[in-house]
Amino acid sequence: MHPITRTLASFCVGIAVLAAGAGEVRAQSAPVRVVVALLPFEVHSAGGLDYLETALVDLLESRLEASGRVDVVESVVVREAMLGHAAGQMAEDALRKLARDVGADYVVTGSLTELAGQFSLDMRVTPVDSAFTARTMVFTADGEDELLDRVNELSERVVGIVTATPSALVVGVRLAGAEDLTGGVRSELETKPGQPYSSDAVRADLDTLRALPGIATATVETNRTADGVEVTFRLVTSEQLLAGSDPEDPTDVVAEVLIKGNRRIEADAIRARISTRAGEPYSARRVASDIREVYSLGFFRNVKVLSEDSLDGRVLTFEVEENPVIRQVTITGNDEIDGEKIRDALTLTTGSTLDFPLLYENS
C-alpha cells in the first residue's frame, strides 16, 4: 500500500471515532461552514504516480471536513459536472460555473509534478463570486512522506483562504527595464490599477512578460501602502545577461553548460529543462528560452546566465537562486487578538516554499 493511501485509511478511521463522540457538541454549536468542490489532481510524472490523482484529493477532503469549517461536495457530483472537461484545461469562468452547478462557494484545483524525486504541488482556490480573486499556492516536498506533511499544511491554508477577507486593490503597476521591448504589453497584463490584488494574476503576468521576444528574466516586487498595493515588474533582456554576444556567429560554440547555486533541487532536474548543449552554436534566443523553462519549474526566484570564454568556446553557467523555505512563522504584537486566530487566517505555513506575491497577501 502506498504511503498516502495508507495514511488516508488510518486518518478516516480516526475521524469516524472522533465523530461518534463529538456529534452532540456539534449539534449545540455548529459553526458556519463553507462548501468547497475538489477537482481531481493533474499528475505529471514518469514514475507511475497516477494513483495520486485521486488519493491526494481524498486525503485533502478528509482534512478539510475534519476542520469543522468546510463541507466538501461529493466527488461523484463533481465528476458529473466536469464531463467534457479536464481540470487543468478549465478557464476561470468555467470553474465558477461548475461551482454554481454543484452549489459550492469555492473550487479547488491542483497539479502535482515530480522531477528526480522532488515534488511540486501547485494549488488554486477559485471563488464562485467573480468579485473575489482566485488564490494560488505552491508546496515542494522531498519524497512521498514529506508530501503528506505538505497536504496537511495545504488543508490549513485552504481553510484560511475560504474564510478570509477579499484582497486589497492594486493602486499602481510599473514596468522597470526593457521599456523599448514592452511596448503595448501593459494593456495585456491581468494586474491592473483599481482591480483586487491577485497573486495568480501576477504569476500569469510574469509568464506573459517572460515570453516577450528579447526578455530573459522577469521578477516582481510588491509594496503595501495605505491605499493598496503597488506592483513593480523588473525585466532583464537577453542582451543584458550576455552582453557582447553575436547569436549569428557560427564560430561562437558552446563548450560547456554548468549549473550553479542549487542546493535542494538536483542539477539533473534543472539540466532537463535546458536545451542549450555543449558543441552546438550559441544562440541568445535559445538561452532566453532555457531561462524561462528553468523558471517554470517553480522552485526559483531568480535565474541568470553567465558567459565566459575558454579555449574550446563559450562556457555558460546557469546560476539559480532557490525560493527560500519557511522554517518558522512567528506572530508578535497581538495584544487583543488570539494568536491562533491570526495563524488560521495565514496562507503561509512552515515547510512551504516562500511565495513573494503571496507574502504580501499575508501582511
Side-chain angles (χ1 to χ4, degrees):
M1 181 180 293
H2 292 283
I4 290 180
T5 307
R6 181 173 61 251
T7 300
L8 175 61
S10 62
F11 181 79
C12 290
V13 171
I15 290 300
V17 173
L18 290 173
E24 185 175 337
V25 175
R26 280 198 215 102
Q28 293 174 353
S29 58
V32 176
R33 298 171 72 99
V34 178
V35 180
V36 172
L38 298 177
L39 273 59
F41 279 46
E42 288 188 294
V43 177
H44 307 285
S45 172
L49 299 176
D50 291 344
Y51 75 96
L52 291 176
E53 177 181 328
T54 55
L56 285 174
V57 173
D58 291 342
L59 183 57
L60 179 58
E61 177 181 351
S62 298
R63 299 303 201 252
L64 292 177
E65 291 279 7
S67 72
R69 304 167 67 186
V70 175
D71 283 327
V72 179
V73 179
E74 292 185 11
S75 60
V76 64
V77 175
V78 172
R79 290 182 180 275
E80 288 178 357
M82 287 180 59
L83 290 177
H85 296 280
Q89 299 173 354
M90 296 183 71
E92 191 165 290
D93 288 343
L95 290 173
R96 296 187 196 277
K97 181 180 183 301
L98 183 146
R100 289 192 295 270
D101 291 343
V102 300
D105 302 301
Y106 292 85
V107 174
V108 176
T109 55
S111 66
L112 180 70
T113 302
E114 185 269 334
L115 286 171
Q118 301 279 334
F119 288 93
S120 176
L121 182 58
D122 300 83
M123 299 294 300
R124 180 172 179 171
V125 182
T126 304
V128 65
D129 189 344
S130 60
F132 302 114
T133 57
R135 298 279 294 276
T136 60
M137 62 194 84
V138 179
F139 286 84
T140 60
D142 298 323
E144 291 187 31
D145 289 337
E146 187 174 332
L147 182 60
L148 291 176
D149 295 333
R150 298 289 83 84
V151 174
N152 294 339
E153 297 167 7
L154 170 62
S155 66
E156 296 175 1
R157 289 179 60 176
V158 171
V159 171
I161 289 174
V162 300
T163 57
T165 55
S167 300
L169 295 181
V170 175
V171 295
V173 179
R174 177 170 171 256
L175 298 177
E179 287 81 357
D180 57 329
L181 298 178
T182 53
V185 73
R186 184 183 295 272
S187 61
E188 301 177 14
L189 299 181
E190 295 183 20
T191 305
K192 300 180 185 298
Q195 296 294 320
Y197 176 86
S198 166
S199 58
D200 189 27
V202 167
R203 290 191 189 86
D205 292 337
L206 284 173
D207 289 340
T208 297
L209 293 170
R210 290 167 182 164
L212 292 175
I215 298 297
T217 66
T219 57
V220 64
E221 297 175 4
T222 56
N223 177 42
R224 183 168 186 164
T225 70
D227 299 322
V229 57
E230 298 173 343
V231 180
T232 300
F233 294 100
R234 299 196 178 279
L235 311 176
V236 178
T237 67
S238 302
E239 288 72 16
Q240 288 172 312
L241 285 179
L242 299 164
S245 62
D246 182 2
E248 303 300 328
D249 185 358
T251 64
D252 189 357
V253 176
V254 177
E256 190 175 6
V257 178
L258 304 177
I259 310 295
K260 181 180 178 182
N262 57 306
R263 295 188 300 173
R264 294 182 295 111
I265 310 304
E266 293 290 339
D268 288 344
I270 301 172
R271 197 178 299 278
R273 294 298 182 100
I274 298 174
S275 62
T276 300
R277 297 286 185 268
E280 297 180 353
Y282 165 77
S283 167
R285 183 182 298 274
R286 178 179 291 182
V287 169
S289 175
D290 290 340
I291 291 174
R292 289 192 290 270
E293 284 296 312
V294 175
Y295 259 121
S296 71
L297 287 171
F299 298 122
F300 309 108
R301 61 179 297 188
N302 193 22
V303 180
K304 60 183 179 181
V305 176
L306 306 177
S307 177
E308 294 183 281
D309 292 331
S310 72
L311 294 177
D312 297 322
R314 183 190 295 264
V315 176
L316 297 179
T317 301
F318 283 75
E319 188 171 304
V320 300
E321 184 179 354
E322 295 182 358
N323 287 325
V325 173
I326 301 172
R327 297 300 182 192
Q328 182 176 352
V329 177
T330 303
I331 299 171
T332 61
N334 52 312
D335 296 329
E336 299 181 3
I337 302 176
D338 184 80
E340 287 305 314
K341 291 184 178 180
I342 299 175
R343 195 177 299 276
D344 287 344
L346 296 178
T347 53
L348 291 173
T349 57
T350 57
S352 63
T353 299
L354 181 58
D355 182 321
F356 286 90
L358 195 60
L359 180 61
Y360 161 77
E361 297 180 4
N362 284 263
S363 61

